[in-house]
Amino acid sequence: MTLCRRLGIDASGVAARCDGCRTMTLAKNTAREVPAAWKVAYDLVTARPPAVSSAPAPALQQALDE
């Protein structure tokens, strides 16, 4: 959400339930997402440039313009 809003994209988040997920799957996902969120915060604060930079695809720009 933060990255989208920072780029000027009007985005809304929704809670995603996982009624059939195993406890181990939820633990692995959390173990991955928590450090990723801290990395995003660090990248935003330090204005670190992206590792890969390329021109946007024309179709993406058209979708954003609509």
Side-chain angles (χ1 to χ4, degrees):
M1 295 299 309
T2 300
L3 293 176
C4 287
R5 289 182 180 154
R6 192 77 116 115
L7 292 170
I9 299 170
D10 183 22
S12 299
V14 295
R17 292 181 27 181
C18 190
D19 294 332
C21 291
R22 297 182 355 214
T23 302
M24 182 55 88
T25 301
L26 296 173
K28 285 175 19 181
N29 290 349
T30 300
R32 179 189 67 229
E33 293 301 322
V34 170
W38 281 104
K39 182 181 180 300
V40 166
Y42 174 79
D43 289 349
L44 290 173
V45 169
T46 62
R48 186 176 78 95
V52 176
S53 181
S54 59
L60 175 61
Q61 191 60 50
Q62 288 173 347
L64 291 173
D65 290 340
E66 291 179 1

